[in-house]
Amino acid sequence: MRPSKRDELVQKAEKIFYRDGFHATGMDRLVAETGISKTTMFKHFHSKDELILATLRRKDETFRNRMHKHLAEAGGEPREQLLAVFDVLTDWFAQADFCGCMFIKAASEYPVHDDPIAVQAREHKRLVLLDLQQLARAAGAGDAAGLARQLMLLIEGAIVAKHMGYSEAPDADAKAAAEVLIMAA
Amino acid sequence: MRPSKRDELVQKAEKIFYRDGFHATGMDRLVAETGISKTTMFKHFHSKDELILATLRRKDETFRNRMHKHLAEAGGEPREQLLAVFDVLTDWFAQADFCGCMFIKAASEYPVHDDPIAVQAREHKRLVLLDLQQLARAAGAGDAAGLARQLMLLIEGAIVAKHMGYSEAPDADAKAAAEVLIMAA
DNA sequence: TCTAATATGTACCGATCTGTACATATTGCA
DNA sequence: TGCAATATGTACAGATCGGTACATATTAGA
């Protein structure tokens, strides 16, 4: 199996879905923008929804991998790592193609609770929250799960605030708030 | 001008767009679900986008009015009012038809920055933030704007967390974090 | 009751939607 | 070189998209 074409499709589709939305992006436009024929697309994925699922899986992988690498570079102190999460945000927000969280968008566009796309989006958030919880536990927080949930609120809030553009540097605000919450925990 | 039919349309369309999304909801389905003829719809609004804008304006009005009323009932203490904001969330989340924030959804589905729909969505968030800032100033916070932005992060985060369902009671988490942040401010 | 405004039903337009059929190129490998 | 897998182009199906034309029905006010 040489999956290069398939991977190329998933990678390009991910960017387009992320930028333009899921329902607003038709298969014909994917053909035009990726240069990959529609026949090939439907040979690799039996439906648009399956392709979307693949892009979400890829996004989850690359996102969490990047986060883990960034945290590893932040040094061994667990408390430093907890704060470094917000530097990941700063990095992300500085990217030219930033336009919010793909999983929040997916959950918005696929409101049916059992829809595989909605399930996949939730799963990503669950995994990120789990990562935070492990960090909080390592940092010796009394209520690690609670602290993780609170920091998660700040992260989600910063993503939304940045996306909607009503706040200049929500990552800095979030980090400042996080410092207070970590101290209090 | 007897705008009853128009208002009825906006009210019903708001619920449908909120529940099912904007691109995923066609005018034909609006006709089927509202019982209002397509001719009438396009007589009141010259395009689907204009109808969407009207639903967003309505949602902003009703949402902020409800919030102000709730805050007014919370008592005169500004610090109490700041915390009461999170009781508004608790109320909202308990509603059976809760499915996230309509403005976040709108911003997600209309990524072009200048799109009137995106502008309208941002405007709602700006107004809410402004309300928070006034409360924070009345509560005597040193950096009222900064505290307001931090509380806004918690609010957005709680909405997203509740919507995506990876957290049981994000409103309670947000309120607990808010108490800490308000004390520290 | 007459009139003017408003609402309806139906049928349609061209464009786009997801998805398929099928015949032709292109590629990787032995 | 030759074979098999993979990719392509075109053309299309059936449904739905936003939006309009137009003739009829309902309503409200003088």
Side-chain angles (χ1 to χ4, degrees):
Chain A
M1 287 187 196
R2 282 293 300 110
S4 99
K5 208 73 184 180
R6 181 192 173 109
D7 286 358
E8 181 193 346
L9 169 57
V10 175
Q11 174 197 341
K12 290 181 175 174
E14 179 205 303
K15 290 194 179 183
I16 299 171
F17 281 137
Y18 174 54
R19 175 175 20 102
D20 299 336
F22 300 98
H23 287 104
T25 302
M27 298 302 286
D28 287 325
R29 184 124 64 81
L30 286 185
V31 172
E33 285 202 39
T34 65
I36 296 170
S37 71
K38 204 194 284 195
T39 318
T40 300
M41 290 184 183
F42 279 98
K43 198 154 288 178
H44 285 300
F45 304 97
H46 302 110
S47 69
K48 182 186 178 182
D49 278 13
E50 278 191 25
L51 174 57
I52 292 176
L53 277 176
T55 67
L56 290 180
R57 277 190 294 265
R58 192 194 130 94
K59 192 81 167 179
D60 171 65
E61 258 186 50
T62 57
F63 181 89
R64 291 205 355 272
N65 280 346
R66 217 181 80 193
M67 185 174 105
H68 293 152
K69 179 181 290 184
H70 203 295
L71 293 185
E73 291 168 359
E77 288 295 325
R79 195 160 298 213
E80 297 300 316
Q81 287 201 354
L82 263 186
L83 280 175
V85 169
F86 296 89
D87 300 330
V88 175
L89 286 189
T90 301
D91 256 35
W92 182 20
F93 293 174
Q95 285 184 245
D97 62 349
F98 172 85
C99 52
C101 169
M102 191 170 188
F103 304 94
I104 296 177
K105 290 181 173 189
S108 292
E109 289 207 45
Y110 296 86
V112 176
H113 192 267
D114 304 3
D115 191 308
I117 294 178
V119 172
Q120 183 83 15
R122 264 201 306 278
E123 179 64 7
H124 164 80
K125 294 294 186 187
R126 218 206 72 216
L127 292 174
V128 173
L129 180 59
L130 219 65
D131 288 337
L132 279 186
Q133 197 172 327
Q134 280 184 306
L135 284 181
R137 193 175 296 121
D143 178 11
L147 179 59
R149 289 199 308 273
Q150 286 186 343
L151 297 184
M152 192 75 178
L153 294 184
L154 293 175
I155 293 169
E156 301 277 30
I159 295 171
V160 170
K162 181 68 181 179
H163 177 217
M164 302 200 62
Y166 60 80
S167 185
E168 284 302 313
D171 48 321
D173 293 325
K175 189 172 183 176
E179 284 175 356
V180 175
L181 293 179
I182 292 172
M183 283 302 160
Chain B
M1 288 189 194
R2 284 288 301 111
S4 98
K5 207 73 184 181
R6 180 192 174 109
D7 286 357
E8 181 192 347
L9 169 58
V10 175
Q11 175 196 342
K12 290 182 175 174
E14 179 205 303
K15 289 194 179 184
I16 298 170
F17 282 136
Y18 173 55
R19 172 170 29 97
D20 300 336
F22 301 98
H23 286 103
T25 303
M27 298 302 287
D28 286 324
R29 184 123 65 82
L30 287 184
V31 171
E33 285 202 38
T34 65
I36 296 170
S37 71
K38 204 194 281 196
T39 317
T40 300
M41 290 184 183
F42 280 98
K43 198 154 286 177
H44 286 298
F45 303 97
H46 303 110
S47 69
K48 181 187 178 182
D49 279 13
E50 278 191 25
L51 174 57
I52 291 176
L53 277 175
T55 65
L56 289 180
R57 277 190 295 267
R58 192 194 130 94
K59 191 79 168 180
D60 171 66
E61 258 186 50
T62 56
F63 181 89
R64 289 201 0 269
N65 280 347
R66 218 181 78 192
M67 183 174 106
H68 293 152
K69 179 180 289 183
H70 201 295
L71 294 185
E73 292 169 355
E77 289 294 327
R79 192 158 302 213
E80 297 299 317
Q81 287 200 354
L82 263 186
L83 281 175
V85 169
F86 295 89
D87 300 331
V88 175
L89 287 188
T90 301
D91 256 36
W92 182 20
F93 294 174
Q95 285 184 248
D97 63 348
F98 171 84
C99 51
C101 169
M102 191 171 188
F103 303 95
I104 296 177
K105 290 180 172 189
S108 291
E109 287 205 47
Y110 296 86
V112 176
H113 193 266
D114 303 7
D115 192 308
I117 294 177
V119 172
Q120 182 84 15
R122 265 201 305 279
E123 179 64 7
H124 164 80
K125 294 294 185 185
R126 218 205 72 217
L127 292 174
V128 173
L129 180 59
L130 220 67
D131 288 337
L132 279 185
Q133 197 171 328
Q134 280 184 305
L135 284 182
R137 192 176 296 118
D143 178 12
L147 178 59
R149 289 199 307 273
Q150 287 186 343
L151 297 184
M152 193 73 178
L153 294 184
L154 294 175
I155 292 168
E156 302 276 31
I159 295 171
V160 170
K162 181 69 182 180
H163 176 215
M164 302 199 62
Y166 60 79
S167 185
E168 282 305 312
D171 49 321
D173 293 325
K175 189 171 185 179
E179 284 176 357
V180 175
L181 293 179
I182 292 172
M183 283 303 159

